[in-house]
Amino acid sequence: MTIETNVEVGGLATFGVEAKAAALVRWQTADDLRNLNEVPRPLKVVGGGSNLLFTGDFGGTLLLREGPAEMRRLSATRFDVDAHMALDDFCAAVAEAGLRGAENLSGIPGTLGGALVQNAGAYGAETGSLLVDATLFDLQTGRTLTVDREWMEFAYRSSRLKTEGGRYVVLSARLELLPPSAAANVDYGNLRATLGDAEPTPEAVRRAVLATRDSKLPDPATVGSAGSFFRNPEVGAELLRPEMPRYDLGNGLYKVPAAWLIDQCGLKGTAVGGAAVWPLQPLVIVNADGRATAADVLELEQTIVSAVERRFSITLIPEVEHL
Ligand code: EPU
């Protein structure tokens, strides 16, 4: 374990805005986490930093896990995976093994642990639905515990790990995939069209998902962003307009694509300083020139929220965690 103090940490988040933390701990084991009495509070785990915006300097301690991230096969379809493994590495490995269930999550940036915290999802699949159980470290009690899927209270881009505000660190998770004989999940958007006549093997679906992402989302290697900046709002029938795309949640609420609302406000490409609305997927705010400041991003966020509110009386809620 190493501890650095008053350290530049902007590079730990994919947005790439500058920020300092009072301390940064690089840790490997649960025992390391038991030895943090001296470091400034609050403690905050960072995974891949792909859903995180530093809104200024952080007065607490960031916890970054280092060391090899491994997956162990427990049975034909079950794996025990270290939480700091990149989610996409896991997706690639199980697709290659011919297993289904994770191929639609291909290309989502960040670690498995981060994906569980926010129940990351794409193309009709969610990380939480693969979970059997997870081993957590409780920062409040210093104990480890194993919890099942029900305990996690997974919901749209949410889990108990998220609502309890960083109390728990995910150490590892057991995930259950589906056998090769299971049906492909290709009903979302243009996935089936992208596949064309190809047989929807897990690897073919993975390639189609990656191609779709590439065509809409900024390349994380060259343009900083944190993926979708806002959640898709859930609204009552009174706020719907005839032309508005919607997904009926069956409980009187409708999920409306935030990208559509932002698009309708004519905000594609709108910029504040170095921060800009990504023209191909306006749900994404990018660090266009690599020099955006946190203030630029926050001002652009406010511009978008106000414009959508004025026009549709719908208040967008950020999906990206603000630290
Ligand atoms: N749309 C427009 N204009 C555009 C782009 C999209 O009007 O320029 C509208 C269209 O109506 C389109 C709809 O937005 O049908 C939905 O677009 P898309 O399928 O790209 O999905 P999304 O709802 O905008 C969500 C996730 C993404 C995930 C995609 C694909 C959230 C907050 N975002 O976006 O997740 O990749 O579905 O499954 O739920 C992320 O969370 O970081 C993320 C990238």
Side-chain angles (χ1 to χ4, degrees):
M1 178 167 75
T2 63
I3 303 178
E4 293 162 84
T5 53
N6 194 27
V7 55
E8 174 60 42
V9 291
L12 296 181
T14 55
F15 236 116
V17 300
E18 286 184 8
K20 282 191 164 175
L24 169 65
V25 170
R26 297 173 191 274
W27 61 281
Q28 298 208 8
T29 65
D31 270 338
D32 291 339
L33 296 178
R34 289 191 185 96
N35 286 303
L36 297 175
N37 300 330
E38 314 279 289
V39 300
R41 298 318 202 235
L43 304 175
K44 169 73 192 159
V45 182
V46 279
S50 49
N51 197 46
L52 183 64
L53 174 68
F54 288 110
T55 57
D57 291 343
F58 178 59
T61 300
L62 297 180
L63 306 176
L64 184 66
R65 183 163 170 193
E66 297 207 318
E70 282 160 7
M71 55 191 278
R72 296 155 289 271
R73 195 168 193 161
L74 303 175
S75 73
T77 52
R78 191 170 285 196
F79 296 83
D80 184 27
V81 189
D82 291 334
H84 60 312
M85 175 172 277
L87 177 66
D88 189 58
D89 288 350
F90 173 76
C91 295
V94 292
E96 198 187 331
L99 298 172
R100 291 206 187 276
E103 62 273 41
N104 296 41
L105 305 175
S106 294
I108 293 181
T111 59
L112 169 64
L116 288 170
V117 172
Q118 61 153 335
N119 193 15
Y123 307 101
E126 286 184 334
T127 314
S129 47
L130 302 175
L131 186 77
V132 178
D133 55 32
T135 301
L136 312 179
F137 181 86
D138 183 344
L139 288 166
Q140 243 167 54
T141 63
R143 298 216 177 102
T144 57
L145 64 160
T146 299
V147 300
D148 62 9
R149 193 194 312 164
E150 204 154 278
W151 184 96
M152 288 281 208
E153 295 169 4
F154 287 118
Y156 170 59
R157 291 299 191 278
S158 179
S159 74
R160 184 159 166 191
L161 300 173
K162 187 165 177 177
T163 53
E164 293 212 19
R167 171 170 174 183
Y168 301 100
V169 182
V170 190
L171 297 175
S172 64
R174 295 199 295 169
L175 304 172
E176 179 78 28
L177 283 300
L178 298 167
S181 57
N185 172 7
V186 290
D187 289 336
Y188 187 97
N190 61 351
L191 212 47
R192 199 180 290 273
T194 307
L195 270 161
D197 292 332
E199 198 196 322
T201 62
E203 286 199 292
V205 174
R206 173 173 163 80
R207 279 192 297 275
V209 165
L210 291 174
T212 307
R213 294 183 70 95
D214 279 352
S215 70
K216 288 188 182 177
L217 297 169
D219 173 7
T222 53
V223 186
S225 88
S228 296
F229 197 91
F230 299 98
R231 300 158 55 101
N232 286 324
E234 298 173 357
V235 305
E238 72 286 357
L239 291 175
L240 295 176
R241 310 250 179 106
E243 70 281 15
M244 207 181 257
R246 86 271 324 254
Y247 171 76
D248 189 346
L249 295 170
N251 58 356
L253 294 176
Y254 298 81
K255 194 183 273 187
V256 175
W260 186 87
L261 300 172
I262 298 168
D263 196 356
Q264 292 294 303
C265 293
L267 290 167
K268 279 184 175 175
T270 298
V272 174
V277 177
W278 187 246
L280 299 173
Q281 169 42 298
L283 192 49
V284 177
I285 293 179
V286 297
N287 185 346
D289 61 358
R291 273 181 272 181
T293 63
D296 294 341
V297 179
L298 293 174
E299 193 181 326
L300 182 56
E301 170 184 345
Q302 201 42 58
T303 303
I304 296 167
V305 171
S306 304
V308 169
E309 224 158 41
R310 263 198 313 276
R311 180 150 176 171
F312 296 105
S313 305
I314 294 174
T315 306
L316 293 181
I317 298 170
E319 194 242 322
V320 169
E321 182 177 0
H322 290 47
L323 191 65

